[in-house]
Amino acid sequence: MQMIHKLKRETVLYLIIAIFIGAIVGVGTFTFGYAKGASYLRSDSQSCANCHVMQGHFDAWVKSSHGKFAACNDCHSPHDSAASAYYCKARNGFFHSLAFTTGNYEENLRITDYNRRITEQACRNCHADLVHQIDIRAVGELNQSAVENLESNSCIRCHSTVGHDT
Amino acid sequence: NIFERQQEARTTVLKVVDIDDNTADPAVWGRNFPLQYDDYLKTVDMIQTTYGGSEAIPRTPTDEDPRDLVSRSKIERIPQLKRLWAGYAFSKDYREKRGHAYMLTDQIYTERQKVGQPGTCIHCHASTYVPMKELGEGDIHAGFEKLNALPYMEAKAHVKHPVACIDCHEPETMALRITRPAFMEGIAAFKKSQGVQDYDVNRDATRQEMRSFVCGQCHVEYYFQGDEKRLTYPWTEGLTVDAAYSHFESSGFKDWTHAETGAPMLKAQHPEFELWSQGIHSRAGVACADCHMAYKRVGAMKISDHHIRSPLLNVNAACGTCHKTGDQELIARTENIQARHQKLVKIALDAVIDLIDDINAAKANGVAEDKMKAAQQWQRKATFYVDYVEAENSSGFHAGQEAARILAESIDCSRKGQNALRE
Amino acid sequence: NIFERQQEARTTVLKVVDIDDNTADPAVWGRNFPLQYDDYLKTVDMIQTTYGGSEAIPRTPTDEDPRDLVSRSKIERIPQLKRLWAGYAFSKDYREKRGHAYMLTDQIYTERQKVGQPGTCIHCHASTYVPMKELGEGDIHAGFEKLNALPYMEAKAHVKHPVACIDCHEPETMALRITRPAFMEGIAAFKKSQGVQDYDVNRDATRQEMRSFVCGQCHVEYYFQGDEKRLTYPWTEGLTVDAAYSHFESSGFKDWTHAETGAPMLKAQHPEFELWSQGIHSRAGVACADCHMAYKRVGAMKISDHHIRSPLLNVNAACGTCHKTGDQELIARTENIQARHQKLVKIALDAVIDLIDDINAAKANGVAEDKMKAAQQWQRKATFYVDYVEAENSSGFHAGQEAARILAESIDCSRKGQNALRE
Ligand SMILES: [Ca+2]
Ligand SMILES: [Ca+2]
């Protein structure tokens, strides 16, 4: 984590290259991302498990309540615009590949704040109708931006295991 | 865009009636929010858990007290309490708390009223937002002062409902808000002790904090300060029992004088908010509403369960999303903490009683003034500490280790008090 | 390279050497299991955590004691302990524990050896499985008796290594097994108290239980029973402190006589296994090995980290599997529990010291025999209770509420003892 932050500051150049490479990989998964069907889910998510580091999450996801409904990227990539989806894929693709290659990551992975925010929004992307009543705010938060408001009611706080109980 | 969607979805709440900042009656709000209202009404239910909840005890209504159901008497069940509070109204009548529906009636008919209580009491036992606004001509703080100054029986004529929607919600957006002046002041004093100046709870609190703060308006230790009996939460030095005790020491405040020993006493009342704040759940960001108002699904909607009650009557929803062990095991874990706690409470209560006995004996046999003073001071502290966790309603669950620590210190004080008489 | 990594994961254990039930040397096992062996060797590391771990203190080696590094002295850091244990070897030398690599040396060179210790001591400070087998001609129980009967300095000639692979593993299958007679007997006695007859730990324990039992062979309160100084775990009535105390009371056992007060005393030693058994993690099925030997990734392989140490030096792996909060927050939560605990330990220790002072004064001034007896009995109990959690090495973490409860009872006993002298 700390290493990633350092990198973020120091190697903007790498990031730009990565966005380019990542985008190519990303377009593929994202374009198919709106197709339906369990077979798609499986193969799409399988591509994450190309890294054995992700195998545990993949196995847990298959068994999870969402294994039949949502692929990795339904929860782990933004839904608001194609641009941010590409950026996300490039960013994650770069950092995950880097970490994987160097082997420099912690035993138990932790979702980063950047990705947590994406996942938080992903829940609402599918469940907005169900949760609209509970998505109210405290008085003091009424004037803050929409994104901050959403985060103040964190779904993951209670439902951290819906995608995979690892 | 997610925000748009949210707005869109929000409009599906059918506005049947207009609600504004003067609509006190929850039934009116209930027409727009029937699901929440239905649950809200269920707080009349009385169900006992092993250590909490409440049991309905039938009684024959009298002219003086028309209630046909009351909760169990705690002073009968825990006889040490009568002597703990000798000379104070609590030794006459102190019962298990029960659902919000009863808050007004139970306050009106408790025998503690016989000593003549101030209007201040009403702050936590009724929907006071509109009454305060009216009395204060738009200013709830001014209204609060006026309500406090009335004798209870006059003050009560100004209120109608138990805590209602308007006491926790801003009617326009349904956002949570704080309506209680004593909490606004208390939490600002606490934040100041933490280095935060000019804290305005309705401006500065996060939504997740609000999900506990709305309860912290009432479920806290309090006292009546000064001659005007101003309702105050003793948080100037922090939220721990030590901070509260130290707050009282610095002003030399006392609630009453002990009838047997003559010690200047303090009464601790229901510090759920404070004890919770010292526990692991609070540290992990788990709010009162998370457990006591767990989400429930009703049809196509997910709502907060407004049937506020013991989470042990609703374990699956209240604990289950975070703890994947079965319901029975969760109850067992909780009761394990509570059983250990209650055993220790008994030891601490017995220790205070031993001290009271010894002071009485020393009085009878004669003892030096300074020894007596010292013993009384220990009695004051020991009682406040054990009362703090006894009056707290989770039987230690909200912060198990901290509660045991407080009891350990109470025991130390009681026994030191006994020694002080003999040194 | 992904392909290579995957291959590595599939590779089965390469059998380089044959290991049998007489192979004591861990270096030989290490040729088949180099990863585990490498980590095993790391228990020489000395790193301090806020409340645990150990700090390397340089010393000048002497002929008598060749160690050039020792851990901190606990009796210097916590001066109350010297008086707690007056007249007992522990008051001469008692240090922070450190890694397994040191267990044999630290036992040989502790000044507690000066009083002449029995061979029994070795049960927990060396690889004794093969030596016991040899001495007992194939029967470890017979060998255990023989080892016990020797004076320590003779017994130690029979052992070579600190706890080694063969003490925890069956060489054929690498399955965990129990090799310590005292634990076999102790756990059977405990199970009997729970209504389970003829419990044979190596036959009846589940794998998850074994992941704690192998540690429970040594990390337990013990005593030397009878004239033959038989190593015994006081579990006939249960695993709580109360059960242990009651066990000692029923036989009137004492470890030593207090040098200042003359009280018949009990020494509590490292009851990690017992305190853990009363905590929430044990209840949730979390074993010692889950935290102290967390799985680690080596290439594509997951192995148990045989660098047994404080989990706070390895939080991500040790706690992160179950707790998704960040590492810093997990350390903070733990230290929060430990800080509260240590504050209470101090109060309890001070209370015992007050009692010792009072008994001394009463002795000097003269006091009735029965009062003195009563006070000494309270001293015995108060000391055992506070020692129980002080000697326990997690600073309360293994069971926070229970540890605070034990301290509360210790305080109660100390203060009652003071009162007993004066009544
Ligand atoms: Ca009070
Ligand atoms: Ca012992």
Side-chain angles (χ1 to χ4, degrees):
Chain A
M1 278 262 289
Q2 267 171 347
M3 186 189 147
I4 288 181
H5 286 297
K6 219 190 293 155
L7 276 168
K8 193 174 156 191
R9 271 182 268 112
E10 288 172 4
T11 58
V12 182
L13 183 63
Y14 279 122
L15 189 54
I16 294 168
I17 299 168
I19 290 175
F20 183 69
I21 301 168
I24 297 170
V25 183
V27 176
T29 25
F30 191 73
T31 320
F32 286 105
Y34 281 109
K36 293 284 179 229
S39 62
Y40 134 69
L41 283 183
R42 202 161 236 296
S43 58
D44 179 31
S45 297
Q46 186 79 60
S47 74
C48 295
N50 276 342
C51 284
H52 63 77
V53 198
M54 296 290 109
Q55 190 64 44
H57 286 80
F58 180 82
D59 294 344
W61 166 78
V62 170
K63 281 180 266 164
S64 79
S65 60
H66 284 69
K68 288 194 273 313
F69 306 119
C72 305
N73 281 323
D74 288 326
C75 291
H76 290 294
S77 116
H79 296 75
D80 52 351
S81 76
S84 63
Y86 294 148
Y87 170 75
C88 169
K89 280 166 192 299
R91 186 183 189 279
N92 287 341
F94 173 68
F95 286 124
H96 296 186
S97 303
L98 181 75
F100 188 73
T101 312
T102 59
N104 195 346
Y105 53 91
E106 293 262 47
E107 201 59 45
N108 287 295
L109 309 182
R110 292 273 186 270
I111 197 162
T112 53
D113 287 346
Y114 168 78
N115 281 315
R116 184 190 305 280
R117 225 164 276 152
I118 288 167
T119 303
E120 269 295 337
Q121 298 191 16
C123 309
R124 290 167 176 86
N125 202 57
C126 293
H127 295 292
D129 286 347
L130 181 74
V131 301
H132 75 265
Q133 268 223 25
I134 66 170
D135 252 354
I136 52 163
R137 280 151 264 161
V139 163
E141 291 180 340
L142 287 171
N143 299 324
Q144 292 160 19
S145 80
V147 173
E148 279 172 87
N149 286 331
L150 290 177
E151 280 164 15
S152 78
N153 180 29
S154 161
C155 310
I156 296 177
R157 201 163 60 77
C158 297
H159 297 293
S160 71
T161 58
V162 287
H164 36 74
D165 193 354
T166 40
Chain B
N1 176 297
I2 296 165
F3 183 62
E4 257 169 37
R5 270 224 193 181
Q6 235 195 327
Q7 292 306 355
E8 187 189 316
R10 199 182 291 265
T11 58
T12 60
V13 175
L14 201 62
K15 259 204 173 178
V16 179
V17 290
D18 274 335
I19 296 169
D20 68 22
D21 206 37
N22 296 313
T23 315
D25 188 352
V28 176
W29 293 58
R31 294 179 59 198
N32 285 352
F33 303 103
L35 300 175
Q36 284 84 357
Y37 183 62
D38 280 354
D39 290 333
Y40 169 86
L41 292 177
K42 291 185 197 147
T43 61
V44 290
D45 291 359
M46 292 181 75
I47 302 179
Q48 184 74 40
T49 61
T50 309
Y51 296 94
S54 59
E55 195 188 326
I57 311 284
R59 69 182 289 283
T60 316
T62 58
D63 278 353
E64 204 181 291
D65 179 355
R67 295 176 297 176
D68 56 359
L69 286 179
V70 289
S71 53
R72 288 188 302 178
S73 168
K74 275 185 92 169
I75 47 176
E76 298 306 330
R77 199 159 49 82
I78 311 171
Q80 293 97 325
L81 295 179
K82 283 194 196 171
R83 293 194 58 206
L84 218 65
W85 300 325
Y88 201 45
F90 273 88
S91 66
K92 298 281 175 270
D93 187 9
Y94 172 53
R95 299 186 169 274
E96 272 315 332
K97 84 270 151 291
R98 48 180 172 162
H100 282 172
Y102 300 99
M103 60 169 67
L104 194 44
T105 4
D106 281 347
Q107 186 174 56
I108 295 174
Y109 299 110
T110 178
E111 294 189 26
R112 302 209 291 277
Q113 284 294 355
K114 294 198 172 147
V115 303
Q117 299 287 3
T120 326
C121 292
I122 272 187
H123 183 271
C124 300
H125 282 261
S127 181
T128 62
Y129 181 71
V130 175
M132 286 190 301
K133 251 180 69 175
E134 284 171 4
L135 279 167
E137 286 156 27
D139 176 359
I140 55 169
H141 297 271
F144 169 58
E145 308 285 0
K146 288 207 178 144
L147 212 53
N148 292 349
L150 298 173
Y152 181 85
M153 292 303 164
E154 281 177 41
K156 93 171 199 294
H158 291 269
V159 301
K160 268 206 210 71
H161 311 283
V163 60
C165 322
I166 200 162
D167 296 289
C168 298
H169 291 285
E170 201 273 315
E172 203 58 50
T173 59
M174 292 308 285
L176 291 178
R177 65 165 169 193
I178 296 301
T179 56
R180 292 305 192 265
F183 185 84
M184 295 175 194
E185 290 167 14
I187 199 77
F190 165 65
K191 291 281 179 178
K192 200 170 155 198
S193 77
Q194 309 295 302
V196 181
Q197 304 297 326
D198 297 320
Y199 185 80
D200 175 341
V201 65
N202 280 324
R203 183 192 63 207
D204 300 331
T206 66
R207 171 173 171 194
Q208 186 59 11
E209 283 176 324
M210 276 298 195
R211 290 169 58 86
S212 294
F213 286 177
V214 290
C215 316
Q217 298 186 95
C218 303
H219 288 266
V220 295
E221 152 63 358
Y222 68 91
Y223 72 113
F224 296 154
Q225 196 182 48
D227 289 337
E228 67 279 24
K229 303 225 158 199
R230 187 182 179 77
L231 180 63
T232 310
Y233 303 165
W235 299 344
T236 44
E237 302 174 25
L239 291 178
T240 61
V241 65
D242 317 284
Y245 183 71
S246 164
H247 173 98
F248 289 126
E249 284 305 280
S250 57
S251 68
F253 177 83
K254 72 171 174 195
D255 279 303
W256 90 102
T257 301
H258 199 268
E260 296 186 28
T261 67
M265 303 296 291
L266 297 170
K267 176 80 189 74
Q269 287 99 339
H270 35 70
E272 278 92 52
F273 177 72
E274 296 94 320
L275 194 67
W276 162 83
S277 77
Q278 302 304 304
I280 187 80
H281 281 105
S282 155
R283 169 127 213 159
V286 186
C288 314
D290 290 341
C291 299
H292 290 279
M293 300 184 67
Y295 287 126
K296 65 186 273 193
R297 185 177 180 153
V298 186
M301 210 99 78
K302 187 177 165 183
I303 58 163
S304 301
D305 190 344
H306 281 63
H307 180 189
I308 295 173
R309 63 188 143 155
S310 163
L312 298 188
L313 298 170
N314 186 30
V315 190
N316 192 278
C319 325
T321 37
C322 298
H323 299 285
K324 297 293 172 194
T325 18
D327 296 356
Q328 282 319 306
E329 169 60 13
L330 279 165
I331 292 178
R333 283 187 196 172
T334 306
E335 292 184 351
N336 198 32
I337 295 168
Q338 295 179 316
R340 189 179 282 131
H341 176 82
Q342 291 299 4
K343 216 186 122 204
L344 200 56
V345 167
K346 195 182 166 311
I347 296 179
L349 286 174
D350 287 344
V352 184
I353 298 299
D354 285 350
L355 173 56
I356 295 175
D357 284 344
D358 280 6
I359 299 183
N360 290 345
K363 271 204 157 151
N365 305 331
V367 70
E369 181 63 17
D370 59 333
K371 291 187 181 180
M372 179 54 74
K373 274 255 145 56
Q376 288 169 336
Q377 182 67 28
W378 287 120
Q379 184 196 347
R380 170 178 160 99
K381 185 169 179 187
T383 304
F384 185 68
Y385 273 57
V386 64
D387 200 7
Y388 197 88
V389 296
E390 208 294 315
E392 208 279 337
N393 283 290
S394 71
S395 303
F397 174 81
H398 290 146
Q401 187 201 19
E402 171 72 354
R405 192 274 297 184
I406 294 172
L407 289 168
E409 301 218 14
S410 174
I411 292 169
D412 198 30
C413 295
S414 293
R415 301 301 184 196
K416 274 179 168 165
Q418 290 180 277
N419 278 300
L421 290 168
R422 297 183 175 123
E423 258 149 17
Chain C
N1 175 296
I2 294 171
F3 178 72
E4 258 172 34
R5 292 250 171 108
Q6 275 171 345
Q7 284 310 98
E8 194 185 319
R10 284 202 202 97
T11 322
T12 46
V13 176
L14 202 62
K15 254 206 174 178
V16 179
V17 290
D18 274 336
I19 296 169
D20 69 21
D21 207 36
N22 296 314
T23 315
D25 188 352
V28 176
W29 294 57
R31 295 181 58 199
N32 286 353
F33 305 104
L35 300 175
Q36 284 83 0
Y37 183 62
D38 281 354
D39 289 334
Y40 169 86
L41 292 178
K42 290 185 199 146
T43 61
V44 290
D45 291 358
M46 292 181 75
I47 302 179
Q48 184 75 39
T49 61
T50 308
Y51 296 95
S54 58
E55 196 188 326
I57 311 284
R59 70 181 289 280
T60 316
T62 57
D63 279 352
E64 204 182 291
D65 178 353
R67 295 177 295 176
D68 55 358
L69 286 179
V70 290
S71 53
R72 288 188 302 178
S73 167
K74 275 184 94 169
I75 47 176
E76 297 305 331
R77 199 159 48 83
I78 312 170
Q80 294 98 324
L81 296 180
K82 284 194 195 172
R83 292 194 59 205
L84 217 65
W85 301 326
Y88 201 46
F90 273 88
S91 66
K92 299 280 176 272
D93 187 11
Y94 172 54
R95 299 185 169 275
E96 272 316 334
K97 82 271 150 292
R98 46 180 174 161
H100 280 173
Y102 300 98
M103 60 169 65
L104 194 45
T105 3
D106 281 347
Q107 186 175 53
I108 295 174
Y109 299 110
T110 177
E111 294 189 26
R112 301 210 293 277
Q113 284 294 356
K114 293 198 172 146
V115 303
Q117 299 287 2
T120 327
C121 291
I122 272 185
H123 183 273
C124 300
H125 282 263
S127 180
T128 62
Y129 180 70
V130 175
M132 285 190 302
K133 251 180 69 176
E134 285 172 1
L135 278 167
E137 285 156 28
D139 177 0
I140 55 169
H141 295 272
F144 170 56
E145 308 285 0
K146 288 209 180 143
L147 212 53
N148 291 349
L150 298 174
Y152 180 86
M153 292 303 162
E154 280 177 41
K156 94 172 201 291
H158 291 268
V159 302
K160 267 206 212 71
H161 311 282
V163 61
C165 322
I166 200 161
D167 296 287
C168 297
H169 291 286
E170 202 272 313
E172 205 56 51
T173 59
M174 292 307 286
L176 292 178
R177 66 166 168 191
I178 295 301
T179 55
R180 294 304 194 265
F183 186 83
M184 295 175 193
E185 291 167 13
I187 198 76
F190 166 65
K191 290 282 178 178
K192 201 170 156 200
S193 77
Q194 309 294 302
V196 182
Q197 303 296 326
D198 297 321
Y199 185 80
D200 175 340
V201 64
N202 281 323
R203 183 192 63 207
D204 301 331
T206 65
R207 172 175 167 195
Q208 185 61 9
E209 281 177 324
M210 275 299 197
R211 290 166 57 83
S212 294
F213 285 178
V214 290
C215 315
Q217 299 186 96
C218 303
H219 288 267
V220 295
E221 152 62 358
Y222 69 91
Y223 71 114
F224 296 153
Q225 196 182 47
D227 288 337
E228 68 279 25
K229 302 225 158 199
R230 187 183 179 74
L231 180 64
T232 310
Y233 303 165
W235 298 345
T236 45
E237 302 174 28
L239 290 179
T240 60
V241 65
D242 317 283
Y245 183 71
S246 165
H247 173 97
F248 289 125
E249 285 305 281
S250 57
S251 68
F253 176 84
K254 72 171 174 196
D255 279 301
W256 90 102
T257 300
H258 199 269
E260 297 186 27
T261 67
M265 303 296 291
L266 297 170
K267 177 78 188 76
Q269 286 99 339
H270 36 71
E272 279 92 51
F273 178 71
E274 296 94 320
L275 193 67
W276 161 83
S277 77
Q278 303 305 304
I280 187 80
H281 282 104
S282 155
R283 169 127 214 160
V286 187
C288 314
D290 289 331
C291 299
H292 290 279
M293 301 183 66
Y295 286 117
K296 64 183 272 191
R297 162 179 54 84
V298 182
M301 218 140 27
K302 286 240 172 191
I303 60 164
S304 301
D305 189 344
H306 280 62
H307 181 190
I308 296 173
R309 64 188 143 155
S310 162
L312 298 188
L313 298 171
N314 187 28
V315 190
N316 181 278
C319 324
T321 327
C322 302
H323 299 284
K324 296 286 176 196
T325 18
D327 298 353
Q328 284 317 308
E329 169 61 14
L330 279 166
I331 292 177
R333 282 186 197 172
T334 306
E335 292 183 351
N336 198 32
I337 295 168
Q338 295 179 316
R340 190 181 279 132
H341 176 83
Q342 291 299 5
K343 215 186 122 203
L344 200 56
V345 167
K346 192 178 171 313
I347 296 179
L349 285 174
D350 287 344
V352 185
I353 298 299
D354 285 349
L355 172 56
I356 295 175
D357 285 342
D358 281 6
I359 299 183
N360 290 345
K363 272 205 156 151
N365 304 332
V367 70
E369 181 63 18
D370 60 333
K371 291 188 180 178
M372 180 54 73
K373 274 254 144 55
Q376 287 169 336
Q377 182 67 29
W378 287 120
Q379 185 196 345
R380 171 178 158 99
K381 185 169 179 187
T383 304
F384 185 68
Y385 274 56
V386 64
D387 200 7
Y388 197 88
V389 296
E390 208 295 314
E392 208 278 338
N393 283 290
S394 72
S395 302
F397 174 82
H398 290 145
Q401 188 202 17
E402 170 71 354
R405 192 274 298 182
I406 294 171
L407 290 168
E409 301 217 15
S410 174
I411 292 169
D412 199 29
C413 295
S414 293
R415 301 301 183 196
K416 275 179 168 164
Q418 292 179 275
N419 278 299
L421 290 168
R422 299 182 174 124
E423 259 149 17

